[in-house]
Amino acid sequence: MEDKELTEIESFQLIQDMINKSRSSVMDKGTWPIYWGCTIAFCSFFLYFQLLFKWKMPFNIFYLTYIALAIMIFVIIKNSKHKNVSSHSQRPIAYTWIAYVIAINIMGFDPQTNYSGISFMVLYGIPTFITGGIMNYKPLILGGISCWILAIIGFFCNGLTQIMLEGFAAIAAWVIPGLMIRRRYLQVKKGVHV
Amino acid sequence: MFKDLDPILHSQLRLAVVSLLISVKEADFSYLKEQTGATAGNLSVQVQKLKDAGYIEIEKTFQNNYPKTNCRITKNGVDAFEKYVNALRTYLPK
């Protein structure tokens, strides 16, 4: 690119192209919502069938989430070394999810309470809803609300069914919005105005 | 009636830099170079002109022992960009 004067039409075209480029650089690619949605959905459905068919397991299947978390932290640290652009929303979103991870782990290790799928679904909804608000992205907002609706449905179900509902909550809150974010990201990257 | 276009922004490379910075918090020099396809020398001159006009801020840091130059748009820069886009609209056929 040279330092030449532009016609008015060229100026508009250039602004549009550059805004599309910067948007696609900082846009969420949908990777982590899909990754976590699949992980939680898998763990929930596995636990449901494990309890239903009384399979013997040497460990709680949800411990897989710690491996998933370790992989995510490793990848984020690795990618941050090559990061050369940042958006305004990254920091508040990161803090929201850090708070969620801490809260859910404190709840998960509480020896005084029995496992409650309802509490977890309520918790899944909070960061999802807030992230949707920060990103101004309706599928995530609706995903958060879906978690709370499923938690209310859980009032009328037994503990085993609540575990299955958790799997559906993960799909509604993260897998579906994640796939939609991915699709939007690919469209912006191609230069399609969305 | 046609409005005057800001001469600082009405140049290909400077407009590209400001358009890139308008929707992000900050971006480093290598990102701007990569996205605009400009040479380092030319980009450096144009970035300095934008800084002198008060449209962008430049922060020099070190990352992994390598110098890193971060650029971010200022409030003046955002206002100038908005005025520029509004002025451009007057030139377009209705």
Side-chain angles (χ1 to χ4, degrees):
Chain A
M1 190 177 282
E2 297 161 20
D3 183 33
K4 64 165 190 178
E5 286 242 338
L6 300 160
T7 66
E8 290 72 31
I9 301 285
E10 282 172 339
S11 291
F12 260 119
Q13 189 60 51
L14 178 68
I15 291 169
Q16 178 78 52
D17 289 349
M18 291 299 137
I19 288 177
N20 268 344
K21 277 186 178 185
S22 63
R23 275 180 69 199
S24 70
S25 303
V26 294
M27 253 181 114
D28 197 308
K29 297 176 178 65
T31 312
W32 297 122
I34 296 167
Y35 175 81
W36 279 107
C38 291
T39 305
I40 300 295
F42 169 78
C43 292
S44 302
F45 292 132
F46 189 95
L47 186 62
Y48 171 77
F49 287 113
Q50 184 196 338
L51 296 173
L52 187 69
F53 297 114
K54 298 183 172 51
W55 296 338
K56 291 265 186 273
M57 275 285 288
F59 62 92
N60 182 337
I61 191 70
F62 270 90
Y63 287 163
L64 282 183
T65 56
Y66 292 107
I67 298 171
L69 184 64
I71 293 169
M72 186 179 84
I73 291 170
F74 173 78
V75 172
I76 286 175
I77 290 172
K78 193 165 168 270
N79 288 347
S80 70
K81 286 177 186 165
H82 308 289
K83 202 171 142 228
N84 50 17
V85 60
S86 61
S87 74
H88 295 280
S89 59
Q90 277 168 352
R91 200 176 165 88
I93 290 174
Y95 272 83
T96 303
W97 286 94
I98 290 168
Y100 158 78
V101 169
I102 293 169
I104 206 160
N105 277 286
I106 293 170
M107 270 180 56
F109 281 107
D110 180 2
Q112 304 295 322
T113 56
N114 288 323
Y115 179 89
S116 165
I118 293 170
S119 316
F120 284 105
M121 283 187 278
V122 169
L123 215 53
Y124 293 166
I126 296 170
T128 310
F129 187 81
I130 294 172
T131 304
I134 294 170
M135 288 172 65
N136 194 20
Y137 194 59
K138 272 189 190 149
L140 276 174
I141 295 172
L142 294 174
I145 294 170
S146 305
C147 290
W148 297 330
I149 292 170
L150 287 163
I152 294 167
I153 294 170
F155 292 161
F156 309 101
C157 305
N158 60 25
L160 187 62
T161 311
Q162 285 174 15
I163 293 168
M164 187 175 65
L165 289 177
E166 262 189 80
F168 289 122
I171 292 170
W174 302 320
V175 177
I176 295 170
L179 290 170
M180 291 169 81
I181 291 169
R182 182 91 195 149
R183 190 167 155 263
R184 191 179 68 153
Y185 165 73
L186 293 173
Q187 280 177 339
V188 170
K189 208 177 172 190
K190 272 189 208 163
V192 178
H193 183 69
V194 284
Chain B
M1 189 182 158
F2 297 131
K3 291 183 181 172
D4 286 340
L5 294 171
D6 184 341
I8 299 286
L9 291 180
H10 198 55
S11 108
Q12 192 179 20
L13 190 47
R14 291 194 294 270
L15 182 60
V17 169
V18 171
S19 303
L20 283 169
L21 292 175
I22 197 85
S23 48
V24 299
K25 187 180 166 198
E26 61 181 17
D28 81 0
F29 190 83
S30 63
Y31 173 81
L32 297 175
K33 185 170 165 283
E34 186 186 307
Q35 297 299 323
T36 58
T39 62
N42 192 10
L43 182 61
S44 183
V45 170
Q46 303 312 325
V47 160
Q48 189 58 46
K49 282 186 184 172
L50 288 169
K51 188 190 171 222
D52 294 342
Y55 291 176
I56 65 167
E57 286 172 345
I58 298 173
E59 186 190 28
K60 290 179 190 284
T61 56
F62 279 90
Q63 190 180 48
N64 303 322
N65 292 326
Y66 287 98
K68 188 172 157 69
T69 305
N70 283 322
C71 303
R72 71 176 73 87
I73 196 159
T74 61
K75 172 81 175 61
N76 279 348
V78 174
D79 292 344
F81 183 77
E82 281 174 0
K83 271 187 198 161
Y84 179 80
V85 172
N86 286 333
L88 260 190
R89 286 202 176 108
T90 64
Y91 286 84
L92 294 181
K94 294 188 178 165

